[in-house]
Amino acid sequence: MIDATDLTKCFGPLVAVNGLSFEIGRGEVVGLLGPNGAGKTTTLRMLTGYLPPSRGAVTIAGLDVLRSSLEVRRRIGYLPESVPLYGELRVGEMLEFHGQLHRMDRSRRRERSAFVLERVGLTERRTQRIDNLSKGLRQRVGLAVALLADPELLILDEPTSGLDPLQRMEVRDLIRELARERTVLVSSHILPEVEAVCDRVLILHRGRLAADGRPADLVRELGGTGHLSLTAELGPDTGQAAELLRKLPGVASLKVVDASQAANAGEEPINHPSLRSFELTGEGELAAVVGELARDRSWVIHQLAWQRATLEELFASIALDMNEALLDGMAPAVAPLAPLAPTAHTEPTAHTEPTTPTEPTAPTEPTTPTAPTTPTDPDAPGADS
Amino acid sequence: MALRSTTTKGSMGPLRRLGLVSQVIGTVLLGMIVVFLLNWLSGRPGLRLRLDLSADGSNTLDRATSDLLADLTETVTVDVFYRGEAPPLQAVAGEAMERVFRLLILAADEADGRLIVQHHDPADSTALQQRLTELKLTGFENCLVLSRGAGAERRVVLSLRGDLAEFDPGRPQAGAGFSPAAMIAYHGEEALVSGLMRVTQGSSVPIAFSAGHGERDIFGLDEPTDLGRLHTELVGDGFAVEKWRFEEDGPPRDELALLAVIAPQQPFSAPEAAALVKYVERGGRLLIAPRLDFDRGPGSVPDLVGNWGLAIDDELILRPWINAQGQMEDGRPECAQLGVRADGMSAGHPLTDALRRSERRVVMTFAHPLRSTPAQNRARALLVSGPYSWLDDGSSGTYDFIWQEANEVMGSRDLLLALELAAVPGALGASAIGDETRAGRVLLCSTPEAFANTWLEVNRDFCLGAFNWLTERETRIHLAPRTSVERRLAMGEGQDLKRLKRTVAWLLPGLCLITAILVGWRRRS
Amino acid sequence: MRGTLVIMRRELFSLATSPFAWILLSVALFLNGVLFTAYIQLLDGDVTWALRFALGESLAFWALLVFLPPLFTMRMVAEEARSGLVEYLLTSPISDAAVILGKFLAATTFLALFWCSVPLYGLVLAGLGASPDWGALLGGTLGAILTSGLFVSTGLLASASTSTPVLAAFLALAFNLTWLALPLVTELLLGGAVSWLARVFSGGEGLGGASLAAAGDWLQRLVGTIDILAHFQKSFLVGLLDTTEVVFFLSWTGLFLFLAVRLLETRRWR
């Protein structure tokens, strides 16, 4: 459906999108993810033909976006982030206008507008002026407009921004529903939203494509690992438990934790001679494997916590990684003391604090040469202005 | 590595911006060129289409005018001198001038650059004076000056009053006798066409002034009695002026369209007089005026005009002088200055009709009364003195300018006699004037001062008129008359005005306002 | 073409449903109506001249012609640029030209509605027994509409160049006034500056002075060719439909619309 090759957009000296290439097949629901300023909106604008790329090309449904611009525009339902609507018009009139722009005949306009209004739940607001609608309702009107011409491809730019949680959920449900029938490309900087809706994610950072794939695949491919903590009475296996666990398929790392350390916050410290705690990382269904082992060896499990790797985690790692790479290349003046090899600390950061992407600054591993990164870290998520 | 390339791209910013700016400027310039080209193209004669929507066709030139303008081969400049007439003609003159302006715009359009119209700001007196001098004009009047050539060698003056339009000042008194000033006639187009024809006529018309008998100097500009300014006017009007001396040139050439004999001191010799008479008999044109102290011997002016039954008396025509206090006086030389107005002009003659139309005054000073002998009473008096003029008997040797009631009778006297002789088939050189049969014409003027420098400014139209009538150069053309409909709202009771105001100033905007309120109310949510 | 009509219809709809537009119209109509009756009164009932004043000869006519279009056009592009509607329109399946052209037609149609009030005056006069010269009247109205179109196009260009409506109106107004006053300004400049320069640089009668004067002459002729007032008054005002004049107004309008479209396109990479 969408085929972008080497998409690049420069605004003067600023490179907003840099060498983006991807393909989106028919019927896919794809999330375009990235922090603010990552180039999401610019990418979408290039896809819709609003912005001509500085380099590269886009074809949509086999048509070049710039060359057969009108043909492409007819196939796209695009909802820009600002939800542009004529405030002085009524909801029905806005839809009528959009239908005319798309050269729909009168009966089809009437039929489709009734349908989409029903779909977004605005049927009884038909005669209300758009000016007087709330932000959430306007968003829905925008969706209705984008849907009106029954486009093959729906491109939604931050469809949930500025909405309260309830409205956000409504819109998310709506998108999920819409996704059943057509190709959808949604941009967002909010992770759970994309994870909830999309079967594929493109992660954009600083104008570059940082990752592309199914959320789960991504997690796996990019070294995203599950995290398991186990506290058990090991009985006779006390000595060899670590060895046994390490040999399990999929285990990437293992760490023995002091039982006293493991018994944390509020828990009564249990003094048992064979009680041990382990921290494991690895991929696959680690919890099941470990559980099976425990059953076989008759360990008494006090705690088995399994945490699957999340996109968010991945996202954070990418963000950090790219940030440093970028800073390395572009602005040596900001961090002159940070000539870090990008690969050197990917692992440790991901491993130490897997669930808190906002605080990747607490390196407990003495092996990690993290100290120089501190000056760059605070502006890591939003440094790209 | 790609990141490094971005930094270099950043440094190209100004250059790119320069490129963009030049692109924008290029687009604008290209667009403007296209527009100018389109405009130029649409003005080409073949592509241009005009549709006159006005009911009276006031935006369409007559076919004759269009043809003339299309055939112009040389550039003609039209200088517009206009600073408004004094009341009560102010308004009507403005209206007439507005029509003249429109006519000029149309004509300039039609002539496609060969008719250049220059408006002169009456407030800018230096520039105005300079242009007037260039055009060899003295004094200002509301007029158009058509000229051709770099030094305005040929030029024609079209006065607003007379040539372009005629006005009736009306009666200014308030009350019963009041009548507003009005434009009686407008013939701007005719005047323009005849002026153009005159100015563009290819060859000049040759005329001659006799010389060698103490006549007035036709080149003299300094002496008030000389004819230098008349000469300038004649050349500008398309005459080629030469001197005629019998001893050198022999009898007047056939090509001469006119021979003028202005105030000779010495009599003409017998062969000379014979040649002159023969010239007229064969269809030549003669303008002749005697000196104040003319002789009566053979070869003198009275003797010459006697050939055609015209006579000049010795007396001087005088009239009461009105002094600064408004009292009539006599006994002073000013009494010999006669101003002839419309009531002293013959009606139905082309020369005087033109003067009457333009409300011209002709000044004649020290004029002798003219007569035509009854037997050959074919002469026509074109100008006569006022009814209160008397003849001062100069038989005593001097004129005393005093009215002696006993023997001096008051009454009109003839000042200008025109005589048309019978046509002689194929008589004189057809080349000069253009028709095969020509009848001789004699115009006898009672005084040479009418043509002299002093009075030329006043008498210019008369002088040129006289020469043009004699040489049959009235380039009169006839254009289809225009019917102009008076469109006026009856203001008498003011009832209609009130009704108009109600609809136009209150009803219409009111309806709009109601719509505004309705719309605002209906679409409040 | 269809896109143009759709845009035009929507703009017209917005104008027709906006009280602001109607209030503006009624104020303009009121002014024009009062002035017209004043003309009639002052001219002692001369219908021809009163109508000529109302359509081209009076200062009020030109003031309305200059002031009204920017007020109608100022928001048309500027506001949409601000609200993001430009993005919406430019990603809709219509050409950029259709967007500008539609807006142009809408504003011009609305102004045409206003100028059609003058023939309505003629109708009222005819009802009162003083029938006007309909040909001249219609010619004048057509001219007023064409000139309005020209000023609408400059207004759209100004509106496309900024995202502040008030600034757009001001720009358009300044441009229109400058254009109208251009012949006058040139004349003043040529009358004063050029002759002065000629004197300074060549001591009066030298070659430089002559060529400078010629350049001045040429400039004056050039300015004369774009003199809106003259173009209007020598054709439409007197009821003459001249293709050259129509082309003059249409071609300049076209140029400004073209530039507005180009400017709108640059919005994409600005």
Side-chain angles (χ1 to χ4, degrees):
Chain A
M1 192 72 210
I2 304 180
D3 185 1
T5 42
D6 194 24
L7 214 50
T8 302
K9 180 75 203 174
C10 309
F11 295 102
L14 179 79
V15 184
V17 174
N18 197 348
L20 208 56
S21 297
F22 59 87
E23 243 175 88
I24 293 176
R26 201 169 284 272
E28 272 191 282
V29 179
V30 180
L32 190 62
L33 200 57
N36 290 325
K40 299 187 298 289
T41 299
T42 308
T43 307
L44 295 187
R45 283 179 170 173
M46 284 193 280
L47 295 184
T48 53
Y50 178 62
L51 282 180
S54 306
R55 198 173 68 223
V58 186
T59 54
I60 286 182
L63 297 161
D64 188 278
V65 161
L66 291 184
R67 248 174 252 136
S68 5
S69 176
L70 291 189
E71 197 50 45
V72 167
R73 291 189 214 172
R74 224 162 269 148
R75 289 159 196 253
I76 298 180
Y78 173 45
L79 177 61
E81 189 180 355
S82 56
V83 197
L85 297 167
Y86 284 101
E88 72 265 29
L89 296 188
R90 298 180 167 133
V91 175
E93 289 162 351
M94 182 74 210
L95 289 173
E96 175 76 12
F97 171 57
H98 189 78
Q100 287 173 351
L101 278 181
H102 277 261
R103 304 192 170 192
M104 297 160 74
D105 56 45
R106 183 185 294 267
S107 60
R108 184 158 157 73
R109 280 204 300 266
R110 199 171 303 153
E111 176 197 325
R112 280 296 298 175
S113 97
F115 173 76
V116 292
L117 282 177
E118 181 65 46
R119 203 65 194 273
V120 299
L122 283 176
T123 308
E124 64 277 19
R125 307 250 182 197
R126 225 193 122 78
T127 54
Q128 223 165 8
R129 266 180 65 154
I130 292 172
D131 271 349
N132 302 345
L133 295 179
S134 71
K135 181 89 173 89
L137 290 177
R138 280 177 60 105
Q139 199 83 29
R140 288 205 233 166
V141 177
L143 270 174
V145 168
L147 280 173
L148 184 76
D150 198 12
E152 297 167 43
L153 172 63
L154 198 59
I155 295 180
L156 309 173
D157 192 1
E158 302 264 4
T160 56
S161 73
L163 300 185
D164 64 41
L166 197 67
Q167 292 170 331
R168 200 175 286 190
M169 221 160 70
E170 285 173 7
V171 171
R172 204 188 297 164
D173 291 346
L174 194 60
I175 294 171
R176 199 179 294 144
E177 211 175 310
L178 296 173
R180 285 196 211 122
E181 304 145 18
R182 49 180 65 78
T183 316
V184 180
L185 181 58
V186 186
S187 88
S188 178
H189 65 279
I190 300 160
L191 292 155
E193 201 172 283
V194 175
E195 261 188 303
V197 175
C198 308
D199 28 72
R200 184 177 156 201
V201 182
L202 300 172
I203 297 180
L204 213 58
H205 189 72
R206 291 249 163 178
R208 291 173 154 277
L209 187 62
D212 175 4
R214 299 172 61 80
D217 292 348
L218 272 185
V219 168
R220 196 172 330 113
E221 274 168 31
L222 287 165
T225 48
H227 182 102
L228 184 122
S229 62
L230 170 75
T231 307
E233 284 175 46
L234 303 171
D237 288 336
T238 315
Q240 54 180 340
E243 204 56 39
L244 284 169
L245 284 168
R246 193 164 285 148
K247 277 184 191 154
L248 285 173
V251 172
S253 73
L254 176 107
K255 198 170 70 174
V256 186
V257 188
D258 237 319
S260 57
Q261 234 180 331
N264 40 24
E267 260 185 62
E268 206 176 309
I270 303 155
N271 256 334
H272 195 278
S274 64
L275 188 71
R276 295 286 184 277
S277 287
F278 303 94
E279 298 272 335
L280 289 99
T281 59
E283 48 190 35
E285 296 304 300
L286 218 51
V289 180
V290 171
E292 209 173 314
L293 179 73
R295 202 183 57 224
D296 288 353
R297 312 297 299 187
S298 311
W299 297 347
V300 182
I301 295 176
H302 283 213
Q303 186 198 347
L304 177 68
W306 166 240
Q307 197 165 17
R308 187 188 283 277
T310 60
L311 210 51
E312 207 154 345
E313 189 181 336
L314 183 70
F315 185 56
S317 82
I318 288 166
L320 201 68
D321 174 20
M322 299 280 290
N323 261 347
E324 274 156 17
L326 283 166
L327 286 168
D328 206 18
M330 281 181 70
V334 179
L337 297 173
L340 297 174
T343 43
H345 58 285
T346 318
E347 248 181 304
T349 356
H351 281 235
T352 37
E353 293 289 334
T355 50
T356 49
T358 44
E359 271 180 33
T361 50
T364 48
E365 300 287 318
T367 50
T368 323
T370 47
T373 64
T374 20
T376 68
D377 282 342
D379 42 15
D384 36 349
S385 51
Chain B
M1 273 148 281
L3 296 170
R4 297 219 183 272
S5 75
T6 56
T7 34
T8 42
K9 222 169 229 164
S11 71
M12 281 171 66
L15 212 73
R16 265 203 66 193
R17 198 161 303 153
L18 201 75
L20 247 150
V21 166
S22 62
Q23 210 175 331
V24 166
I25 292 175
T27 311
V28 172
L29 278 181
L30 208 73
M32 281 176 76
I33 288 170
V34 168
V35 165
F36 276 116
L37 213 69
L38 264 177
N39 280 322
W40 177 80
L41 214 71
S42 67
R44 295 301 86 208
L47 297 171
R48 190 171 192 179
L49 216 80
R50 288 149 166 281
L51 189 63
D52 190 356
L53 297 173
S54 63
D56 54 357
S58 58
N59 301 310
T60 319
L61 293 175
D62 197 277
R63 175 136 224 116
T65 317
S66 299
D67 290 348
L68 178 73
L69 288 166
D71 290 344
L72 277 184
T73 49
E74 278 170 279
T75 306
V76 174
T77 308
V78 182
D79 289 87
V80 182
F81 298 98
Y82 179 66
R83 64 173 159 215
E85 291 279 343
L89 289 181
Q90 207 172 17
V92 282
E95 198 182 326
M97 215 52 202
E98 197 267 343
R99 289 178 74 170
V100 172
F101 287 153
R102 268 165 62 192
L103 172 74
L104 287 176
I105 288 171
L106 285 175
D109 265 0
E110 202 103 338
D112 192 28
R114 288 186 306 268
L115 191 73
I116 296 169
V117 181
Q118 289 183 340
H119 293 264
H120 296 281
D121 181 6
D124 186 358
S125 58
T126 32
L128 193 74
Q129 204 52 53
Q130 190 187 341
R131 186 62 188 153
L132 284 172
T133 314
E134 274 171 24
L135 292 170
K136 304 182 195 80
L137 283 174
T138 47
F140 182 96
E141 85 177 296
N142 293 324
C143 63
L144 307 183
V145 181
L146 277 56
S147 60
R148 199 189 75 185
E153 286 91 12
R154 294 283 282 277
R155 64 139 172 72
V156 167
V157 178
L158 302 175
S159 315
L160 172 62
R161 296 175 68 171
D163 291 332
L164 298 168
E166 289 163 53
F167 302 109
D168 171 17
R171 273 175 227 186
Q173 302 91 346
F178 174 79
S179 70
M183 179 159 53
I184 304 165
Y186 169 80
H187 17 72
E189 195 170 343
E190 289 91 329
L192 182 71
V193 168
S194 66
L196 277 173
M197 285 169 79
R198 197 101 60 78
V199 125
T200 55
Q201 232 159 26
S203 53
S204 304
V205 178
I207 58 172
F209 281 71
S210 71
H213 312 92
E215 286 99 339
R216 294 283 166 86
D217 178 7
I218 59 168
F219 298 118
L221 282 167
D222 304 325
E223 288 295 319
T225 53
D226 284 343
L227 305 180
R229 289 177 61 187
L230 174 67
H231 176 256
T232 310
E233 290 292 333
L234 289 173
V235 171
D237 205 26
F239 289 102
V241 183
E242 58 191 67
K243 282 187 180 175
W244 174 67
R245 269 179 237 270
F246 182 73
E247 303 85 60
E248 295 160 22
D249 307 325
R253 291 184 292 128
D254 279 2
E255 289 80 25
L256 280 184
L258 178 146
L259 188 63
V261 179
I262 308 292
Q265 205 155 16
Q266 289 95 39
F268 283 56
S269 64
E272 224 173 332
L276 213 149
V277 170
K278 196 172 171 229
Y279 167 74
V280 175
E281 299 285 308
R282 291 181 54 216
R285 305 319 169 52
L286 179 68
L287 173 67
I288 189 163
R291 293 173 65 85
L292 176 62
D293 50 345
F294 60 87
D295 286 329
R296 283 196 177 278
S300 66
V301 174
D303 180 49
L304 281 171
V305 298
N307 285 306
W308 302 289
L310 306 176
I312 307 169
D313 290 338
D314 292 321
E315 294 95 339
L316 210 54
I317 310 174
L318 302 176
R319 49 126 198 172
W321 172 256
I322 306 200
N323 65 13
Q325 282 76 46
Q327 292 146 347
M328 294 204 227
E329 280 184 40
D330 61 352
R332 44 191 301 170
E334 283 90 339
C335 292
Q337 181 185 319
L338 309 170
V340 184
R341 294 179 184 280
D343 51 3
M345 295 179 187
S346 160
H349 192 275
L351 170 56
T352 41
D353 271 353
L355 295 172
R356 284 159 68 106
R357 253 208 328 266
S358 37
E359 298 165 50
R360 293 287 159 199
R361 183 166 68 106
V362 180
V363 175
M364 301 261 178
T365 53
F366 298 99
H368 295 288
L370 309 176
R371 274 182 298 115
S372 57
T373 42
Q376 292 159 298
N377 199 2
R378 286 169 296 164
R380 181 166 178 184
L382 296 186
L383 298 176
V384 295
S385 63
Y388 297 108
S389 51
W390 74 91
L391 295 180
D392 195 0
D393 184 7
S395 53
S396 55
T398 52
Y399 300 105
D400 57 7
F401 306 107
I402 295 171
W403 180 44
Q404 278 117 30
E405 209 172 343
N407 53 358
E408 291 173 351
V409 187
M410 279 204 175
S412 292
R413 307 292 138 96
D414 294 351
L415 291 167
L416 185 70
L417 289 182
L419 181 67
E420 288 188 69
L421 304 178
V424 182
L428 256 183
S431 60
I433 294 175
D435 45 7
E436 292 301 318
T437 53
R438 261 183 23 169
R441 284 181 184 180
V442 176
L443 192 64
L444 173 60
C445 186
S446 54
T447 167
E449 311 305 331
F451 303 100
N453 286 349
T454 320
W455 296 108
L456 196 83
E457 198 173 320
V458 180
N459 286 355
R460 192 189 65 221
D461 285 9
F462 162 70
C463 295
L464 290 179
F467 278 82
N468 280 314
W469 174 71
L470 280 172
T471 54
E472 284 184 80
R473 262 179 97 234
E474 312 113 274
T475 39
R476 201 151 286 280
I477 55 147
H478 294 282
L479 304 180
R482 296 249 159 88
T483 47
S484 185
V485 186
E486 177 84 327
R487 301 170 193 281
R488 219 169 258 280
L489 186 69
M491 299 291 285
E493 298 277 304
Q495 203 59 43
D496 283 353
L497 187 72
K498 228 175 260 170
R499 227 172 277 165
L500 177 73
K501 189 160 190 166
R502 220 176 308 148
T503 358
V504 154
W506 298 111
L507 187 66
L508 271 178
L511 280 176
C512 260
L513 208 62
I514 290 171
T515 317
I517 293 165
L518 222 68
V519 157
W521 190 75
R522 269 190 62 97
R523 294 191 67 86
R524 70 201 180 283
S525 72
Chain C
M1 196 60 227
R2 216 164 124 190
T4 308
L5 286 182
V6 173
I7 295 283
M8 172 186 164
R9 234 175 9 222
R10 200 215 67 79
E11 291 289 342
L12 264 182
F13 183 81
S14 277
L15 278 175
T17 54
S18 122
F20 168 76
W22 287 107
I23 288 170
L24 202 64
L25 202 62
S26 62
V27 168
L29 275 176
F30 174 72
L31 276 177
N32 219 26
V34 167
L35 280 172
F36 183 70
T37 43
Y39 299 148
I40 287 276
Q41 202 159 14
L42 286 175
L43 291 165
D44 198 28
D46 189 336
V47 168
T48 310
W49 271 93
L51 283 171
R52 204 173 280 176
F53 268 112
L55 274 180
E57 199 79 78
S58 64
L59 192 66
F61 168 81
W62 289 100
L64 283 173
L65 209 49
V66 164
F67 274 89
L68 281 184
L71 290 181
F72 281 110
T73 56
M74 61 178 184
R75 303 174 58 212
M76 281 187 159
V77 187
E79 189 117 311
E80 301 200 344
R82 196 160 26 172
S83 67
L85 276 161
V86 163
E87 189 175 353
Y88 167 72
L89 288 177
L90 295 190
T91 52
S92 295
I94 48 164
S95 65
D96 303 356
V99 174
I100 292 289
L101 209 59
K103 288 169 186 294
F104 163 76
L105 286 176
T108 310
T109 309
F110 210 72
L111 285 167
L113 204 69
F114 169 69
W115 290 118
C116 281
S117 64
V118 181
L120 221 55
Y121 297 176
L123 218 58
V124 174
L125 284 172
L128 294 173
S131 181
D133 182 348
W134 286 108
L137 185 52
L138 292 181
T141 311
L142 183 71
I145 292 170
L146 277 177
T147 317
S148 297
L150 179 58
F151 288 145
V152 164
S153 71
T154 60
L156 279 176
L157 181 61
S159 188
S161 67
T162 168
S163 47
T164 320
V166 178
L167 184 64
F170 177 78
L171 278 178
L173 200 62
F175 183 82
N176 295 349
L177 283 175
T178 312
W179 194 352
L180 277 180
L182 203 59
L184 199 73
V185 172
T186 331
E187 201 165 315
L188 284 178
L189 276 180
L190 289 177
V194 169
S195 63
W196 181 78
L197 277 175
R199 235 175 298 137
V200 166
F201 283 116
S202 59
E205 297 295 315
L207 195 72
S211 63
L212 206 62
D217 224 38
W218 184 83
L219 183 69
Q220 201 153 21
R221 197 123 15 113
L222 186 76
V223 168
T225 61
I226 58 165
D227 184 350
I228 296 180
L229 229 84
H231 276 281
F232 185 87
Q233 290 186 337
K234 76 177 177 192
S235 57
F236 300 111
L237 175 63
V238 292
L240 176 64
L241 203 61
D242 187 339
T243 48
T244 313
E245 307 307 329
V246 175
V247 166
F248 169 80
F249 283 100
L250 288 185
S251 61
W252 281 102
T253 307
L255 175 65
F256 289 118
L257 290 179
F258 168 73
L259 291 179
V261 172
R262 295 315 300 261
L263 206 58
L264 190 71
E265 280 173 357
T266 64
R267 263 190 192 287
R268 302 172 155 200
W269 52 78
R270 265 193 298 156

